[in-house]
Amino acid sequence: MSWADSSPGMQMGKVPVNGHDPEEDAEQYPRPRQQRKKVVIVGLGMVGVAFIEKLMKMDAKRREYDVVVIGEESHLAYNRVGLTSFFQHRKAENLYLNPRDWYSGMPEGSLNYHLNTRVTEIHPENRVVSTSTGATVPYDVLVLATGSDALLPRHTPGHDAKGVFVYRTIDDLEKLIQYADTCKGTTGAVVGGGLLGLEAAKAMMDLETFGQVKLIERNRWVLSRQLDDDAGSMVVELVRKLGLDVLLSKRVGKIEVDEDNAVKGVLFEDGERMDCKCLMFGIGIKARDELARKAGIKCADRGGGIVIDPNLMTNREGIYAIGECASWENQTFGLIAPGIEMAEVLAFNLTQAKIHAPRKFKRPDLSTKLKLLGVEVASFGDFFADRDGPKALPMKRHNAKKDQPNGVQSQEQVKNMTDGPPPPPVKALSYKDPFQAVYKKFLFTLDGKYLLGGMMIGDTKDYVKLVPMVKTQKALDVPPSQFILGASKEGDDDGSDLTNDTQICSCHNVTKGDVANAVKDGTCKSIGDIKSCTKAGTGCGGCMPLVQTIFNAEMKAQGSEVLNHLCPHFEYSRADLFNIIYVKKLKSLPEVMKECGKDPDSLGCEACKPALGSILASLYNQHVMDKSLHGLQDTNDRFLGNIQRNGTFSVIPRVAGGEITPEKLIVIGTVAKKYNLYCKITGGQRIDMFGAKKEDLIDIWTALVNAGMESGHAYAKSLRTVKSCVGTSWCRFGIGDSVGMAIRLEERYKSIRSPHKMKGGVSGCVRECAEAQNKDFGLIATEKGFNLFVGGNGGASPRHSELLAKDVPPDDVVPIIDRYLMFYIRTADKLQRTARWVEQLPGGIKYLREVILEDKLGIAASLEQQMNELVGTFFCEWTEAINSATRSSHFKQFGNTHENIPNNVEPISERGQTRPADWPSKSTTEDFRATPWSTLAWQPLIESHYFTDDPTGSSSKNVKRGDTQLAIFKIKNKWYATQQMCPHKRTFALSEGLIGDDVKTDKLWVSCPFHKRNFTLNGADAGRCSNDEDVNIATFPVEEREDGWVYLKLPPVEELDQRLGTERWKVKMGKGNEGMKRLDDKLKGMKGRKPFEG
């Protein structure tokens, strides 16, 4: 959906101050009043008020500006396009675009307005304006929205007579109404057959005071700026049938007056004469630039208008012009849509350009769809491409003759001079039905692959589908003929085949999604509410039938929900548990088991413990190594690093957005060299150091933290990285500050735990170098902000992300992602990526939009608040581990000695670095459990005080005896002992495994942290693997004695080492593991190829 004019509730969100956003640290938001800049707007018309609305919305969080608007009319901003309706109700308030209380309801001091006040002079040097009341108003930013005046042919005799009017303001209509009462039953005439003239003619006819109304047009057909001869002639026929007498090819030479200087007739230039008592001119408009000219601001010599650049700035710093008074590339625009676009561009640049490339005003879309005197009329795209040549062709069709010799170019120039220029590279497809009064003409490229523009009379319901086809310049997937054949479709178009970003109201750039979402959020319960909320239908009104049908259709939307139990210990889904824990404020495993578990005394298992640990971290963000939480963590979180296949760990410091200084790179290199760590650049734009021994982690982290780095949380189910391209920092194509946005997002969401890992991406333009569309959340910069994509991921089941919101201003990015991520954290299943989560939501991305953007569930404020509280609890887990003696004590290889045993996986040198040898292809299937020991004797191995009374119910240590490693467990005050090696891949880590139980069968097991082989610890099956019959482990009797030591009943050291010793089970590079030797042989000797080791 388009974001620019939607989700009014979002503007009330606040930018959370979390202490980690560089911009938030540097400046205070919202700004105190004395620090705000003053924006003065001259002109309170449709464009002026649109600019106020957009500026207020985009500045709602920062409050950088206070606004003063000065209007010379006595009315608040009203719908000038809908002036004809004034004759039905004759109440100016009915035309107001916003009620009076909208202005007074703005935050105190943010908006002040002055009516009946004309700005008489601008003083650019002093940055003040003078008004007709004698006041001076200072400004920091001055916006000229003075509009235009209706043209009056002052060279025509009689132009100043009584009964001569223009069609422009409420005041003009009130004067017409008053005068018309003095000449009832006479002839009234309108000069001008364009949009303005036809509207004026309808106004005269609606008065019902004239006996006859005539339209005078100098061309051979009406609407000559929008329609060709055939279409314009059809409109003439239709309006004549409605009672309007149309005179074509007529020019007014003189206005005849009586002795009171009142109109009595018109003399045409061809000598003919016509009686009339009232004459209204609707021949065009002229930009009001006199105020700017007086101040020395550059204005266009031909056609008038205040000259602006693509940023809408005049030649004077801090002074801008928008709407009909502005001249862009020697053009002024009399339609409302370009003015609204200017207002949006300027509001964006004033509020969002600090972290995004400024938007440029580009060639506007002059498509129009109106109902004139009951006749449906539409023109779109390059509708005169067949007459004037196309203004632009799709990029694929450019055939620029860049490399032609000068002689060839000269020959073509001569041919053009003698034979005339070649016909435009355009083909037209026309349809005319005089019986149904329908006319259509569509213009295509020569191959019929691209739609360039067109015009329609009578049947215009395809307009909203055709305009996006021209704008996007995408190749058509149907033949041109179907554009005509499809025109006979019966029944009203309910908009069901339109995408949410399809524009349905061109006056105010309102999309289908804007209307639909305003219905769904419950605030718009009538079509009047829709008009007030979205502005749809408040311009020309031509979109109202479609708006009405979309309104009706969207009232029927429904949803459903899905549940899933977490594990055998709970009859709740992860989402249910999250909510119960949140509401009841549970903070430990025993509390959760008591409130939610099937058995209150259960220890849980390897499935539910990490999920509960994640939920508690998502809610309270305590250190995962705290006593009450440590036993819930899988090995990665337990030691704040990813365990690798040789039992060592990886170390990945955070490199937010992929941006890093040379000094930090040097520190990383120094650390890696000192500890012989294997280095690799990750796909997330940071540096991974592999092979760190557990006993070295504290020292490694200390060196990195002292250099200003912190944990990258690569070990956690949390935010990993927010990848970025260089964007506007360096790239010549960049339109958004992708690095700055990526850093802000990564700094905001770092460390928060979630159901699964999360990754983000920010691309500075549509070239998408950061691959943002395969991330859990991704941003792609657009001219209007960022398109926000969600629910994508790579991995085993890749999924392309989906568009959640379109053209999001930078300031609104954080509130949307806050809602999205917190809703995911609350409702996803255990270990469920956002991709699968979005797929399984009832209604998918559509439902997600309703919840996040429209607040369908009424929880948006709660989601933002909860995320704000969570990110405010940030701390670096490495730093806290370094500074805590209790936490640091866990980083020893053995609990009973400071001695270490070399790693059991042989190191291999490859490409200048060291890596572990490949794992054996098969498990070790020896029957360790039934080993016939010669003798067993009690041996004291470790003091019992090293084992804590953990709230998770278990505590464990790895101990050394000879060359053998053993695992000792204290579970609910009972002792168990096993070998440390898991036979599956000969890994030595069982003491770090999670403990599970089944209270009904009194069964305990330890789950190997590598591949979740579950080994029974008690009973007759002690040592068996419940989920892999090929492997088992040895167990040993164990007891705690009064001397404070833990004793194990063990065989002699030599016998134990021979059976279970670390060297005995060392993993070596086998002769058969030749890896890529054949490929290396092929590459050997090739020029420029580095030699491969291996």
Side-chain angles (χ1 to χ4, degrees), residues 374-573:
V375 180
E376 294 280 356
V377 178
S379 59
F380 64 93
D382 194 355
F383 44 82
F384 280 141
D386 57 337
R387 185 191 73 182
D388 304 332
K391 296 176 183 175
L393 288 171
M395 292 298 294
K396 190 176 179 181
R397 297 199 49 83
H398 277 310
N399 293 314
K401 302 167 184 176
K402 298 178 180 178
D403 301 323
Q404 289 185 342
N406 291 333
V408 175
Q409 295 181 14
S410 299
Q411 292 174 15
E412 289 191 356
Q413 291 172 357
V414 171
K415 186 177 180 181
N416 289 343
M417 293 173 64
T418 55
D419 300 340
V426 173
K427 285 187 177 180
L429 186 63
S430 300
Y431 171 81
K432 186 175 182 179
D433 181 354
F435 303 101
Q436 297 294 325
V438 172
Y439 175 82
K440 297 186 179 186
K441 181 168 76 170
F442 302 132
L443 305 176
F444 301 87
T445 52
L446 291 177
D447 57 7
K449 294 292 185 182
Y450 297 90
L451 178 66
L452 299 177
M455 55 190 68
M456 295 178 282
I457 306 294
D459 178 7
T460 62
K461 58 179 178 286
D462 290 333
Y463 173 84
V464 293
K465 302 173 188 176
L466 299 174
V467 171
M469 292 181 185
V470 175
K471 286 183 177 180
T472 57
Q473 291 194 334
K474 289 185 178 179
L476 303 175
D477 53 7
V478 297
S481 59
Q482 287 197 20
F483 286 77
I484 299 299
L485 298 175
S488 61
K489 175 181 169 184
E490 295 182 0
D492 290 334
D493 188 351
D494 65 358
S496 59
D497 57 344
L498 303 179
T499 60
N500 273 348
D501 59 356
T502 300
Q503 185 190 71
I504 61 172
C505 173
S506 60
C507 289
H508 287 283
N509 191 26
V510 182
T511 66
K512 175 196 171 183
D514 297 336
V515 174
N517 294 329
V519 175
K520 294 171 189 174
D521 66 14
T523 59
C524 294
K525 299 179 180 179
S526 69
I527 201 66
D529 292 340
I530 288 292
K531 293 171 74 173
S532 175
C533 181
T534 68
K535 304 297 179 185
T538 62
C540 67
C543 61
M544 282 312 301
L546 182 56
V547 172
Q548 181 73 60
T549 55
I550 293 173
F551 171 80
N552 294 338
E554 290 299 338
M555 296 294 285
K556 302 176 182 178
Q558 294 181 353
S560 59
E561 58 182 356
V562 179
L563 299 176
N564 187 20
H565 293 172
L566 185 64
C567 78
H569 292 95
F570 296 94
E571 291 183 335
Y572 297 103
S573 68

Side-chain angles (χ1 to χ4, degrees), residues 551-749:
F551 171 80
N552 294 338
E554 290 299 338
M555 296 294 285
K556 302 176 182 178
Q558 294 181 353
S560 59
E561 58 182 356
V562 179
L563 299 176
N564 187 20
H565 293 172
L566 185 64
C567 78
H569 292 95
F570 296 94
E571 291 183 335
Y572 297 103
S573 68
R574 180 200 170 277
D576 292 334
L577 277 173
F578 185 98
N579 289 320
I580 294 171
I581 294 170
Y582 177 46
V583 171
K584 295 190 174 183
K585 294 180 170 54
L586 310 178
K587 294 189 176 182
S588 68
L589 177 65
E591 291 178 1
V592 175
M593 281 297 179
K594 183 178 179 180
E595 291 287 341
C596 313
K598 289 184 179 179
D599 190 305
D601 298 321
S602 175
L603 292 174
C605 64
E606 72 281 0
C608 63
K609 278 183 173 179
L612 292 175
S614 173
I615 290 173
L616 293 172
S618 295
L619 286 171
Y620 310 115
N621 200 27
Q622 295 173 298
H623 202 294
V624 293
M625 294 187 71
D626 284 356
K627 186 177 179 180
S628 61
L629 301 174
H630 205 203
L632 300 177
Q633 312 304 323
D634 230 330
T635 307
N636 291 349
D637 284 285
R638 185 174 292 206
F639 294 108
L640 312 182
N642 276 322
I643 193 168
Q644 304 303 318
R645 57 189 180 84
N646 64 346
T648 62
F649 293 83
S650 65
V651 176
I652 307 180
R654 186 165 299 286
V655 181
E659 183 181 75
I660 190 168
T661 64
E663 290 77 12
K664 289 181 179 178
L665 285 173
I666 290 170
V667 171
I668 290 174
T670 301
V671 169
K673 189 171 184 179
K674 178 178 179 180
Y675 294 94
N676 193 28
L677 304 180
Y678 174 101
C679 295
K680 188 180 183 303
I681 305 297
T682 73
Q685 297 180 330
R686 51 188 183 177
I687 300 171
D688 200 339
M689 293 174 279
F690 294 88
K693 299 173 185 176
K694 182 169 69 173
E695 56 269 25
D696 289 336
L697 286 175
I698 293 293
D699 291 338
I700 291 172
W701 296 340
T702 300
L704 296 173
V705 168
N706 288 341
M709 286 176 268
E710 63 188 22
S711 167
H713 289 90
Y715 48 83
K717 296 295 185 283
S718 65
L719 178 71
R720 297 293 176 83
T721 65
V722 181
K723 187 176 182 180
S724 73
C725 66
V726 295
T728 52
S729 299
W730 288 97
C731 181
R732 66 187 188 277
F733 299 116
I735 59 174
D737 183 5
S738 50
V739 179
M741 180 60 79
I743 291 173
R744 286 168 170 82
L745 295 179
E746 189 164 338
E747 286 290 319
R748 177 165 180 78
Y749 302 115

